Amino acid sequence: MSNSSNNVVGVDNTFRRKFDREEYLERARERERQEEESRSKPKAKGPPVQRKPLKHRDYEVDLESRLGKTQVVTPVAPLSQQAGYYCSVCECVVKDSANYLDHINGKKHQRALGMSMRVERASLKQVQERFEVLKKRKDVGSFTEQDLDERILKQQQEEEERKRLRREKKKEKKEKAVEEPEIDPDVAAMMGFGGFRSSKK
Protein backbone atom coordinates (compact mmCIF):
# COMPACT_ATOMS: atom_id res chain seq x y z
CA MET A 1 0.00 0.00 0.00
CA SER A 2 2.82 2.41 0.82
CA ASN A 3 4.25 1.72 -2.63
CA SER A 4 1.12 2.94 -4.43
CA SER A 5 0.99 6.20 -2.48
CA ASN A 6 4.49 7.19 -3.59
CA ASN A 7 3.90 6.50 -7.31
CA VAL A 8 1.04 8.76 -8.41
CA VAL A 9 -0.56 7.58 -11.62
CA GLY A 10 -2.24 10.21 -13.84
CA VAL A 11 -1.66 13.01 -16.28
CA ASP A 12 1.38 15.21 -15.92
CA ASN A 13 -0.01 18.73 -16.18
CA THR A 14 2.63 20.59 -14.24
CA PHE A 15 4.34 22.18 -17.25
CA ARG A 16 3.42 25.55 -18.78
CA ARG A 17 1.91 25.50 -22.23
CA LYS A 18 4.10 27.06 -24.90
CA PHE A 19 2.42 28.93 -27.78
CA ASP A 20 3.89 29.03 -31.24
CA ARG A 21 3.94 32.77 -31.94
CA GLU A 22 4.60 32.36 -35.66
CA GLU A 23 1.58 30.11 -36.15
CA TYR A 24 -0.78 32.56 -34.42
CA LEU A 25 0.69 35.54 -36.26
CA GLU A 26 0.06 33.75 -39.55
CA ARG A 27 -3.57 33.03 -38.53
CA ALA A 28 -4.11 36.71 -37.62
CA ARG A 29 -2.68 37.88 -40.96
CA GLU A 30 -4.95 35.43 -42.85
CA ARG A 31 -8.01 36.65 -40.96
CA GLU A 32 -7.13 40.30 -41.70
CA ARG A 33 -6.72 39.48 -45.42
CA GLN A 34 -10.17 37.83 -45.52
CA GLU A 35 -11.80 40.80 -43.77
CA GLU A 36 -10.11 43.22 -46.19
CA GLU A 37 -11.32 41.21 -49.18
CA SER A 38 -14.89 41.07 -47.87
CA ARG A 39 -14.85 44.86 -47.31
CA SER A 40 -13.47 45.69 -50.73
CA LYS A 41 -15.68 43.21 -52.60
CA PRO A 42 -19.11 44.72 -53.34
CA LYS A 43 -21.97 42.66 -52.03
CA ALA A 44 -23.79 40.88 -54.80
CA LYS A 45 -27.25 42.33 -54.40
CA GLY A 46 -30.09 41.63 -56.73
CA PRO A 47 -32.18 44.44 -58.12
CA PRO A 48 -33.99 46.38 -55.38
CA VAL A 49 -37.48 45.13 -54.63
CA GLN A 50 -40.14 47.52 -55.84
CA ARG A 51 -42.93 47.80 -53.30
CA LYS A 52 -46.20 49.63 -53.68
CA PRO A 53 -46.62 52.88 -51.74
CA LEU A 54 -48.82 52.95 -48.64
CA LYS A 55 -52.57 53.06 -49.15
CA HIS A 56 -55.65 53.29 -46.95
CA ARG A 57 -57.05 50.16 -45.34
CA ASP A 58 -60.18 48.99 -47.11
CA TYR A 59 -61.44 47.11 -44.06
CA GLU A 60 -62.42 48.03 -40.53
CA VAL A 61 -60.01 46.98 -37.77
CA ASP A 62 -61.98 44.82 -35.33
CA LEU A 63 -60.83 45.60 -31.79
CA GLU A 64 -64.11 45.34 -29.84
CA SER A 65 -65.44 41.93 -30.88
CA ARG A 66 -63.66 40.06 -28.06
CA LEU A 67 -63.93 42.85 -25.51
CA GLY A 68 -65.03 41.61 -22.08
CA LYS A 69 -64.99 37.93 -23.03
CA THR A 70 -63.08 35.26 -21.17
CA GLN A 71 -60.97 32.65 -22.89
CA VAL A 72 -59.17 29.54 -21.71
CA VAL A 73 -55.48 29.82 -22.57
CA THR A 74 -53.61 26.60 -23.27
CA PRO A 75 -49.96 26.35 -24.28
CA VAL A 76 -50.71 23.81 -27.01
CA ALA A 77 -53.35 25.86 -28.85
CA PRO A 78 -52.52 27.05 -32.37
CA LEU A 79 -51.44 30.68 -32.69
CA SER A 80 -54.78 31.83 -34.11
CA GLN A 81 -56.63 30.58 -30.99
CA GLN A 82 -54.26 31.92 -28.35
CA ALA A 83 -55.04 34.90 -26.16
CA GLY A 84 -54.54 38.26 -27.81
CA TYR A 85 -54.83 39.58 -31.33
CA TYR A 86 -53.67 37.27 -34.13
CA CYS A 87 -52.13 38.67 -37.32
CA SER A 88 -52.67 36.17 -40.13
CA VAL A 89 -50.27 38.01 -42.46
CA CYS A 90 -47.26 37.85 -40.13
CA GLU A 91 -48.50 34.80 -38.19
CA CYS A 92 -47.90 36.34 -34.78
CA VAL A 93 -49.96 37.04 -31.67
CA VAL A 94 -50.00 40.48 -30.06
CA LYS A 95 -51.21 40.73 -26.49
CA ASP A 96 -53.26 43.96 -26.48
CA SER A 97 -55.09 46.30 -28.84
CA ALA A 98 -52.58 49.17 -28.66
CA ASN A 99 -49.70 46.90 -29.65
CA TYR A 100 -51.88 45.30 -32.35
CA LEU A 101 -52.51 48.71 -33.91
CA ASP A 102 -48.79 49.50 -33.72
CA HIS A 103 -48.07 46.17 -35.41
CA ILE A 104 -50.50 46.55 -38.32
CA ASN A 105 -49.25 50.09 -38.94
CA GLY A 106 -45.61 49.06 -38.60
CA LYS A 107 -42.87 48.37 -41.11
CA LYS A 108 -42.77 44.57 -40.70
CA HIS A 109 -46.49 44.14 -41.38
CA GLN A 110 -46.54 46.59 -44.29
CA ARG A 111 -43.59 44.84 -45.92
CA ALA A 112 -45.37 41.51 -45.57
CA LEU A 113 -48.30 43.09 -47.41
CA GLY A 114 -45.91 44.22 -50.18
CA MET A 115 -45.92 47.93 -49.35
CA SER A 116 -43.09 50.28 -48.56
CA MET A 117 -43.46 52.89 -45.82
CA ARG A 118 -43.44 55.69 -48.41
CA VAL A 119 -46.60 57.54 -49.33
CA GLU A 120 -47.35 58.31 -52.95
CA ARG A 121 -47.16 62.03 -53.71
CA ALA A 122 -50.49 63.48 -54.74
CA SER A 123 -50.72 65.66 -57.82
CA LEU A 124 -52.49 69.00 -57.89
CA LYS A 125 -55.38 67.48 -59.83
CA GLN A 126 -55.90 64.72 -57.23
CA VAL A 127 -55.95 67.29 -54.41
CA GLN A 128 -58.52 69.43 -56.25
CA GLU A 129 -60.72 66.38 -56.90
CA ARG A 130 -60.54 65.45 -53.23
CA PHE A 131 -61.61 68.97 -52.22
CA GLU A 132 -64.58 68.75 -54.59
CA VAL A 133 -65.67 65.42 -53.09
CA LEU A 134 -65.43 66.85 -49.56
CA LYS A 135 -67.41 69.98 -50.54
CA LYS A 136 -70.20 67.84 -52.00
CA ARG A 137 -70.31 65.71 -48.87
CA LYS A 138 -70.51 68.85 -46.72
CA ASP A 139 -73.30 70.36 -48.86
CA VAL A 140 -75.43 67.21 -48.65
CA GLY A 141 -75.21 67.04 -44.89
CA SER A 142 -75.20 70.81 -44.32
CA PHE A 143 -76.16 71.79 -40.82
CA THR A 144 -78.66 74.61 -40.18
CA GLU A 145 -80.24 76.18 -37.13
CA GLN A 146 -83.54 74.62 -38.11
CA ASP A 147 -81.97 71.14 -37.86
CA LEU A 148 -80.63 72.06 -34.43
CA ASP A 149 -84.06 73.26 -33.26
CA GLU A 150 -85.68 70.05 -34.51
CA ARG A 151 -83.13 67.90 -32.69
CA ILE A 152 -83.63 69.87 -29.46
CA LEU A 153 -87.42 69.47 -29.69
CA LYS A 154 -87.06 65.76 -30.34
CA GLN A 155 -84.79 65.37 -27.30
CA GLN A 156 -87.23 67.28 -25.10
CA GLN A 157 -90.12 65.08 -26.24
CA GLU A 158 -88.13 61.93 -25.49
CA GLU A 159 -87.25 63.27 -22.02
CA GLU A 160 -90.92 64.09 -21.30
CA GLU A 161 -91.93 60.59 -22.43
CA ARG A 162 -89.38 59.05 -20.04
CA LYS A 163 -90.68 61.18 -17.15
CA ARG A 164 -94.27 60.22 -17.93
CA LEU A 165 -93.36 56.51 -17.94
CA ARG A 166 -91.60 56.89 -14.57
CA ARG A 167 -94.67 58.58 -13.08
CA GLU A 168 -96.91 55.79 -14.38
CA LYS A 169 -94.66 53.16 -12.81
CA LYS A 170 -94.79 54.96 -9.46
CA LYS A 171 -98.60 55.11 -9.64
CA GLU A 172 -98.78 51.39 -10.38
CA LYS A 173 -96.60 50.66 -7.35
CA LYS A 174 -98.82 52.79 -5.13
CA GLU A 175 -101.96 51.08 -6.42
CA LYS A 176 -100.43 47.66 -5.71
CA ALA A 177 -99.57 48.81 -2.20
CA VAL A 178 -103.18 49.97 -1.64
CA GLU A 179 -104.55 46.63 -2.85
CA GLU A 180 -102.68 44.67 -0.17
CA PRO A 181 -104.95 42.32 1.82
CA GLU A 182 -106.24 43.69 5.09
CA ILE A 183 -104.59 42.44 8.25
CA ASP A 184 -106.61 40.84 11.02
CA PRO A 185 -107.15 43.64 13.61
CA ASP A 186 -106.64 41.23 16.52
CA VAL A 187 -103.18 40.20 15.24
CA ALA A 188 -102.23 43.83 14.58
CA ALA A 189 -103.32 44.86 18.09
CA MET A 190 -101.41 41.98 19.64
CA MET A 191 -98.25 43.01 17.72
CA GLY A 192 -98.69 46.66 18.70
CA PHE A 193 -99.36 48.42 15.40
CA GLY A 194 -102.19 49.13 13.04
CA GLY A 195 -100.64 47.76 9.85
CA PHE A 196 -97.50 46.94 7.96
CA ARG A 197 -97.41 50.24 6.05
CA SER A 198 -95.01 53.03 6.86
CA SER A 199 -96.21 56.14 8.58
CA LYS A 200 -95.46 58.17 5.45
CA LYS A 201 -98.12 58.13 2.77
Side-chain angles (χ1 to χ4, degrees):
M1 287 254 171
S2 63
N3 198 11
S4 66
S5 64
N6 290 339
N7 296 333
V8 178
V9 178
V11 178
D12 183 18
N13 58 1
T14 58
F15 67 93
R16 287 184 60 159
R17 187 172 177 193
K18 294 179 183 151
F19 295 100
D20 187 4
R21 287 180 179 261
E22 288 300 318
E23 180 185 346
Y24 286 102
L25 276 172
E26 186 60 37
R27 283 188 189 177
R29 288 187 193 116
E30 181 65 31
R31 189 176 63 243
E32 286 175 357
R33 262 188 254 120
Q34 288 175 352
E35 288 175 1
E36 189 66 35
E37 286 174 8
S38 66
R39 270 191 243 129
S40 63
K41 191 188 298 183
K43 294 179 181 175
K45 287 185 179 177
V49 178
Q50 289 293 325
R51 291 191 172 92
K52 296 179 284 184
L54 279 177
K55 62 178 181 178
H56 291 285
R57 266 193 292 275
D58 54 355
Y59 61 92
E60 191 71 27
V61 178
D62 181 28
L63 297 176
E64 285 94 27
S65 67
R66 292 164 51 179
L67 188 66
K69 294 187 179 175
T70 56
Q71 179 180 2
V72 177
V73 180
T74 60
V76 294
L79 278 176
S80 60
Q81 295 173 359
Q82 286 185 0
Y85 294 89
Y86 176 68
C87 175
S88 58
V89 176
C90 304
E91 295 180 354
C92 65
V93 176
V94 186
K95 295 299 177 193
D96 59 10
S97 60
N99 285 334
Y100 180 67
L101 281 175
D102 287 344
H103 169 75
I104 62 175
N105 293 329
K107 187 184 283 188
K108 180 183 173 187
H109 184 80
Q110 297 299 332
R111 279 202 173 160
L113 288 174
M115 287 188 270
S116 68
M117 292 302 285
R118 293 193 178 93
V119 181
E120 186 179 12
R121 279 186 66 93
S123 66
L124 178 64
K125 188 176 181 181
Q126 288 173 326
V127 173
Q128 289 171 341
E129 288 172 359
R130 183 74 176 159
F131 275 133
E132 290 299 320
V133 168
L134 292 174
K135 277 183 186 176
K136 287 177 184 174
R137 189 186 303 169
K138 186 177 180 183
D139 291 342
V140 171
S142 61
F143 191 74
T144 62
E145 285 186 34
Q146 185 178 5
D147 293 341
L148 182 63
D149 293 338
E150 287 175 7
R151 286 175 60 191
I152 290 172
L153 278 172
K154 189 175 180 183
Q155 263 185 334
Q156 287 174 346
Q157 289 172 352
E158 288 174 358
E159 186 66 30
E160 288 173 9
E161 183 68 22
R162 273 189 241 126
K163 286 181 181 178
R164 187 182 60 79
L165 287 172
R166 268 192 239 130
R167 275 188 250 124
E168 286 180 5
K169 284 183 182 179
K170 282 185 181 179
K171 279 186 180 179
E172 286 177 13
K173 284 185 181 179
K174 282 185 180 180
E175 288 173 5
K176 285 182 181 177
V178 170
E179 294 173 4
E180 286 180 5
E182 287 296 320
I183 304 163
D184 188 19
D186 294 334
V187 174
M190 188 170 54
M191 294 178 80
F193 54 86
F196 287 108
R197 287 188 217 121
S198 67
S199 59
K200 294 180 183 177
K201 290 192 177 185

